């Protein structure tokens, strides 16, 4: 594949985000090899490759785009050596399968050790568990929200990431967007939310009609009308934008 591969993983949003990325790639006349059906274990990735490869073994695509199950990420990185790895968020949605969110964080941290040096890592700055994975990495692009009015002044009582991964102290949260996503810092060791390079500076929500947003990126500013409702889809759009820039 001349443009390498993109791997997308996370608890929520990975299917929508990969489809947004696929649309961006096609708009630039690139052909993604995409597991669009959502089969995101290694067997599903193999099926997507087989279906989009000629009988002579030539891939009928320019770039790989693979949604990957959270626990499958280390194996996918070893096999694909992705040019870009996008991690969206970590929530407790699948406790019956994975247990605590700390398990996913530890699994991803070990998996990223196999990432080739210099390959891009795209991370959600507003998720403490995801953002912490950028420490020690040489090529990281963060995305997040920049408008405090979109959030509340405190996270819900049952937020998933309350304690600092470095020292174990409780995070102080000045803005909570949803769940444990927001503006946070550790008062003990100083660990804090990194400044995102891809940031939504304002959002206007129009219910099912979608969302208008303004975004700042290293390549400049733009306004867009997202035909998807809700703050969580703003995160998905920011993630897709960050991958396109990578």
């Amino acid at each position: 594949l001349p443009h390498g591969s993109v791997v997308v993983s996370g608890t929520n949003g990975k299917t929508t985000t990969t489809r947004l990325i696929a649309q961006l790639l096609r708009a630039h006349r690139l052909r993604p090899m995409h597991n669009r059906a959502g089969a995101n274990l290694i067997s599903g990735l193999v099926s997507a490759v087989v279906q989009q490869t000629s009988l002579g073994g030539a891939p009928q695509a320019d770039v790989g785009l693979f949604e990957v199950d959270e626990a499958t990420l280390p194996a996918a990185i070893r096999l694909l050596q992705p040019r870009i790895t996008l991690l969206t968020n970590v929530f407790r949605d699948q406790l019956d399968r994975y247990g605590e969110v700390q398990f996913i964080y530890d699994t991803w941290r070990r998996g990223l050790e196999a990432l080739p040096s210099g390959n891009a890592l795209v991370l959600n700055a507003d998720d403490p568990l995801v953002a912490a994975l950028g420490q020690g990495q040489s090529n990281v692009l963060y995305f997040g929200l920049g408008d405090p009015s979109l959030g509340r002044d405190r996270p819900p009582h049952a937020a998933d990431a309350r304690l600092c991964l470095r020292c174990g102290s409780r995070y102080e949260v000045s803005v909570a967007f949803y769940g444990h996503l927001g503006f946070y810092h550790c008062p003990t060791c100083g660990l804090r939310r990194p400044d995102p390079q891809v940031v939504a500076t304002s959002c206007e929500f129009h219910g099912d009609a979608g969302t208008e947003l303004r975004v700042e990126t290293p390549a400049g500013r733009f306004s867009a009308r997202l035909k998807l409702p809700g703050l969580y889809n703003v995160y998905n759009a920011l993630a897709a934008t960050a991958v396109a820039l990578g």
Side-chain angles (χ1 to χ4, degrees):
L1 294 167
H3 293 280
S5 293
V6 177
V7 165
V8 178
S9 193
T11 306
N12 299 320
K14 52 185 177 289
T15 298
T16 300
T17 301
T18 52
R19 292 188 177 187
L20 289 171
I21 296 169
Q23 289 182 341
L24 289 171
L25 292 171
R26 293 189 182 104
H28 286 79
R29 299 188 179 184
L30 293 172
R31 299 171 300 163
M33 180 180 283
H34 180 197
N35 57 332
R36 182 178 173 83
N40 56 21
L41 303 180
I42 294 300
S43 58
L45 307 189
V46 172
S47 295
V49 171
V50 170
Q51 291 169 4
Q52 298 169 76
T53 301
S54 71
L55 291 175
Q60 298 172 323
D62 305 301
V63 56
L65 175 59
F66 301 106
E67 171 192 336
V68 174
D69 175 82
E70 298 97 298
T72 302
L73 182 70
I77 288 177
R78 288 195 303 271
L79 290 169
L80 293 168
Q81 299 288 281
R83 174 182 167 186
I84 300 174
T85 302
L86 164 63
L87 303 177
T88 61
N89 51 63
V90 181
F91 284 91
R92 296 172 184 260
D93 288 10
Q94 301 188 44
L95 283 176
D96 58 327
R97 295 177 61 197
Y98 299 138
E100 288 295 323
V101 293
Q102 184 71 35
F103 171 81
I104 296 299
Y105 170 80
D106 291 337
T107 298
W108 284 358
R109 181 175 50 80
R110 290 192 298 269
L112 292 176
E113 293 174 357
L115 196 65
S117 177
N119 284 27
L121 192 58
V122 176
L123 302 176
N124 187 342
D126 297 347
D127 188 323
L129 289 165
V130 173
L133 292 165
Q135 297 181 61
Q137 299 288 338
S138 61
N139 187 7
V140 183
L141 188 64
Y142 290 102
F143 64 92
L145 299 178
D147 183 356
S149 68
L150 298 174
R152 301 175 296 177
D153 61 357
R154 65 185 63 185
H157 176 70
D160 289 338
R162 300 188 301 273
L163 303 180
C164 175
L165 290 166
R166 180 187 291 168
C167 71
S169 298
R170 185 177 294 274
Y171 285 120
E172 290 186 358
V173 178
S174 58
V175 179
F177 294 117
Y178 75 88
H180 58 278
L181 275 60
F183 296 173
Y184 55 88
H185 77 278
C186 174
T188 302
C189 72
L191 182 68
R192 64 176 56 246
R193 170 188 182 261
D195 293 328
Q197 297 100 317
V198 177
V199 55
T201 56
S202 67
C203 301
E204 297 179 13
F205 300 98
H206 302 285
D208 292 341
T211 306
E212 293 182 24
L213 62 156
R214 286 183 283 276
V215 180
E216 291 186 359
T217 80
R221 302 176 180 178
F222 68 88
S223 299
R225 180 70 178 253
L226 184 65
K227 296 181 180 179
L228 295 168
L231 190 62
Y232 50 90
N233 277 314
V234 173
Y235 275 109
N236 295 337
L238 292 173
T241 300
V243 167
L245 289 169

